[in-house]
Amino acid sequence: MLGGIQTGKLLVTNLIDHAAREHAGRELVSYWADGTLTRSSWGEVGLDARKFAGAMRRLGMTKGDRIATLAMNHLHHLSSWYGTAGIGGVLHTVNPRLFEEQLVYIFNHAEDRVLLFDKMFTLIVEKIKPKLTSIEHYIQFDGAKAGYPIYRELVDAENGDFEWAEMEETDPVGLCYTSGTTGNPKGVLYTHRSNVIHAITEVQPDVMNLATRSVMLPVVPMFHANAWGIPFAAAAVGAKLVFSASNEASVLWKLIREEKVTHSAGVPTVWLGMFADLDANGGDYGALDMVVIGGSACPRAMIERLMMAGVRVGHAWGMTETSPIGTAGAYPANWDDLSAEEQVDVICMQGRPPFGVELRIVDDAGDEMPRDGQSSGQLQIRGPWVIQRYFQAEEDAVGDNGWFDTGDVAILHPDGTMQITDRAKDVIKSGGEWISSIELENAAVGCPGVAEAAAVGVYHPKWDERPLLIVVRKPGSDVSGADVQNYLIDKVAKWWLPDEVVFVDALPHTATGKILKRALRDEYKDYRLASV
Ligand code: ADP
């Protein structure tokens, strides 16, 4: 027997059609690399998307073709996403901060046919161009003409009456590569269906709490897991988007205050920069109501500072492979009964899975472990926006029943809260017990004078590994190793205290702003503790 309800397809083009129809006049703002600001609307972006689709069709692009971008957050980038979806194409966002060899690998592996790039990345493009094997058209997104076709000219040559291609909801629409912290980067190929379900989930109160009246400034770049899906979620509700092609804290604060931004999202390092600017120049949080922080664990001191300022912190966990939302730190049912400190404790954890995804933890033998708030095991996830198979791989990336192994180690609490304790490869194994490098680092950045900290395991003849803490001081600070160790005494278990603290001018970061642990492990692999 068939049900009596229509089976409308879940297509990314429906998101832009909805926004352009129901929220045509809702403003969208773009701050460009040259310091100018333009105002547009969902209606105009909807029209630009159709024009872009027409321009792509004119260049011979068709269903399944990969169209790549090397670009910051701006409105042309947004309309190219939706226009690409409209020809049945696959929008491939590439991270310009990757090493050249990785960029070449990714473009060639994806077999991109078009590359749209920001003027500021022209040098990178020209350097790698001789090694790119599949790109037929190079298009410059912004700035003055410099020998390449210009996005705006191509788009303005079209009349915008393009009819979206016929598509299935399971067709691919987006491609993102993981940053390849181990081995070659791997591509995750999103579908129309996965992006739409993820968008509908993301707007929920317990996830990003987005509504028509929200003003969202995603600091997370559009090349980092599709700016965590925000450009899709915002279209679903007609929220105002404020894009910034600059990540300078002073620019971001100005936009937050002048555009009355209510929501923002970014990795913890972004907020470190924002706080430093606030400390130096003063100012308020404007209308900021909620910030979503994820990509790596959010330090306690950061959560405290934002919560004290009356800003809700949505501590989220996810991966490129999970579109990326896996969990989000919504307030639990007993929030109002908790003390301020207990509330911070809750937000320090990574939150709960929204409806749709399921989590479990397993031991080394693959057996499920209890959700008792104590057992820590390998975190697995499954759901309709979780990867099945990497792009062009021959085998599935998941085990039996769709469980995907995240490579993270976590605790599940009885109320459903998930707590990341570490990445499997980053845990410090001391005498058969595990020390969470994340917890050590996050405790250490609460110490006055410490700007950033990383913990790695170094060789110890008795314990196998002991923690070494690598610290960057705040400008002007002369905090010592003993100061940091003393500060940590009542913050972590005694046997977790780092054996030594070393100071460096800067820590290496991945292309998405996370501390590059692999590089640190390599650098300190022969380090000998003075006590040994
Ligand atoms: P990569 O870092 O390889 O580019 P992703 O951006 O997909 O890949 O990062 C996913 C990983 O980031 C997760 O597996 C987890 O280790 C880490 N991560 C993301 N959010 C959090 C969080 N809130 N707390 C701790 N770790 C996080």
Side-chain angles (χ1 to χ4, degrees):
M1 190 168 62
L2 285 177
I5 301 295
Q6 300 180 16
T7 51
K9 296 177 194 167
L10 302 175
L11 299 176
V12 163
T13 43
N14 294 345
L15 289 169
I16 189 65
D17 286 347
H18 170 81
R21 189 177 56 239
E22 309 300 336
H23 304 280
R26 183 67 168 133
E27 191 172 59
L28 304 174
V29 173
S30 209
Y31 178 89
W32 300 87
D34 65 3
T36 56
L37 184 131
T38 54
R39 296 184 186 278
S40 180
S41 63
W42 279 113
E44 278 179 47
V45 166
L47 183 63
D48 273 358
R50 284 191 193 262
K51 289 181 176 178
F52 179 74
M56 287 298 104
R57 182 56 54 78
R58 205 173 290 281
L59 293 180
M61 297 304 127
T62 182
K63 264 185 101 166
D65 282 343
R66 268 82 73 197
I67 293 173
T69 62
L70 198 62
M72 302 300 285
N73 294 3
H74 53 67
L75 284 171
H76 294 348
H77 203 172
L78 183 70
S79 45
S80 77
W81 281 25
Y82 282 114
T84 300
I87 61 163
V90 174
L91 202 282
H92 174 203
T93 48
V94 183
N95 185 339
R97 296 182 200 130
L98 291 171
F99 298 122
E100 274 167 39
E101 313 85 80
Q102 287 178 317
L103 288 173
V104 170
Y105 174 87
I106 287 176
F107 285 121
N108 291 343
H109 187 263
E111 298 171 37
D112 297 310
R113 292 188 66 192
V114 175
L115 172 57
L116 298 135
F117 62 96
D118 283 359
K119 185 160 182 263
M120 67 167 100
F121 303 128
T122 309
L123 269 183
I124 302 181
V125 171
E126 294 194 336
K127 247 179 153 175
I128 62 175
K129 213 169 152 191
K131 297 191 193 138
L132 301 184
T133 51
S134 61
I135 294 177
E136 299 156 44
H137 302 280
Y138 291 85
I139 299 167
Q140 188 183 315
F141 257 139
D142 62 340
K145 198 161 176 145
Y148 294 95
I150 295 278
Y151 180 86
R152 200 64 254 171
E153 284 176 7
L154 274 179
V155 164
D156 284 342
E158 303 293 320
N159 61 13
D161 63 1
F162 188 89
E163 294 271 342
W164 300 139
E166 266 300 308
M167 289 172 265
E168 294 307 319
E169 62 177 26
T170 46
D171 286 345
V173 68
L175 178 62
C176 281
Y177 281 71
T178 60
S179 61
T181 32
T182 47
N184 272 327
K186 290 181 281 206
V188 182
L189 193 59
Y190 305 115
T191 63
H192 284 266
R193 180 185 150 84
S194 67
N195 276 358
V196 171
I197 303 179
H198 185 268
I200 298 171
T201 302
E202 192 155 87
V203 298
Q204 294 174 6
D206 280 356
V207 185
M208 289 201 188
N209 192 30
L210 286 171
T212 305
R213 56 197 286 270
S214 308
V215 183
M216 165 57 102
L217 189 165
V219 184
V220 52
M222 291 170 82
F223 53 74
H224 188 192
N226 286 337
W228 300 347
I230 290 166
F232 300 122
V237 292
K240 168 173 167 178
L241 282 172
V242 179
F243 285 127
S244 178
S246 159
N247 280 338
E248 257 178 64
S250 56
V251 171
L252 297 173
W253 279 123
K254 189 164 164 0
L255 288 170
I256 286 174
R257 291 174 193 134
E258 288 181 3
E259 299 302 324
K260 303 193 168 51
V261 168
T262 58
H263 288 64
S264 188
V267 294
T269 37
V270 164
W271 296 100
L272 286 180
M274 298 289 279
F275 290 157
D277 188 85
L278 209 55
D279 291 340
N281 303 316
D284 58 33
Y285 289 77
L288 199 60
D289 183 48
M290 174 165 187
V291 298
V292 179
I293 301 184
S296 42
C298 184
R300 186 179 187 95
M302 187 170 287
I303 293 171
E304 275 169 351
R305 179 156 182 182
L306 286 164
M307 283 177 60
M308 296 257 283
V311 178
R312 170 176 161 191
V313 179
H315 187 184
W317 165 86
M319 321 173 68
T320 305
E321 286 89 338
T322 65
S323 295
I325 296 292
T327 58
Y331 296 162
N334 63 345
W335 182 255
D336 293 330
D337 302 329
L338 301 176
S339 67
E341 190 163 346
E342 287 167 334
Q343 290 183 338
V344 175
D345 291 343
V346 169
I347 301 300
C348 283
M349 297 187 278
Q350 279 74 5
R352 281 165 293 161
F355 169 73
V357 289
E358 292 170 78
L359 301 176
R360 69 172 188 182
I361 49 171
V362 299
D363 60 19
D364 286 343
D367 291 327
E368 189 166 351
M369 298 170 75
R371 299 164 161 256
D372 57 7
Q374 282 167 8
S375 312
S376 129
Q378 296 158 34
L379 180 67
Q380 301 189 333
I381 185 169
R382 66 178 178 189
W385 58 85
V386 174
I387 190 163
Q388 178 74 25
R389 179 180 291 213
Y390 288 104
F391 182 53
Q392 292 188 354
E394 282 172 7
E395 282 172 24
D396 281 348
V398 296
D400 289 347
N401 303 318
W403 287 108
F404 172 71
D405 212 323
T406 64
D408 286 325
V409 180
I411 295 171
L412 292 177
H413 291 261
D415 73 348
T417 302
M418 191 274 284
Q419 182 183 1
I420 294 280
T421 53
D422 223 331
R423 269 195 169 189
K425 45 190 181 303
D426 293 341
V427 284
I428 301 165
K429 294 179 179 133
S430 174
E433 301 276 356
W434 286 6
I435 296 176
S436 158
S437 64
I438 292 186
E439 264 187 61
L440 263 186
E441 290 159 6
N442 284 348
V445 291
C447 175
V450 172
E452 220 181 349
V456 293
V458 292
Y459 169 76
H460 191 284
K462 180 165 175 204
W463 303 111
D464 289 336
E465 278 185 354
R466 287 296 302 157
L468 172 75
L469 192 71
I470 307 159
V471 169
V472 180
R473 288 189 181 98
K474 280 192 181 154
S477 156
D478 59 358
V479 63
S480 69
D483 293 338
V484 178
Q485 276 161 324
N486 281 335
Y487 174 83
L488 289 173
I489 279 178
D490 59 353
K491 309 278 183 313
V492 298
K494 193 155 173 277
W495 63 278
W496 282 30
L497 287 175
D499 285 38
E500 274 176 39
V501 179
V502 294
F503 291 91
V504 293
D505 291 336
L507 289 170
H509 290 96
T510 69
T512 50
K514 308 179 193 189
I515 297 173
L516 192 53
K517 288 289 192 60
R518 183 173 43 83
L520 286 174
R521 273 197 297 272
D522 284 351
E523 192 179 338
Y524 289 90
K525 74 177 184 304
D526 297 323
Y527 189 87
R528 284 285 169 269
L529 294 164
S531 59
V532 170

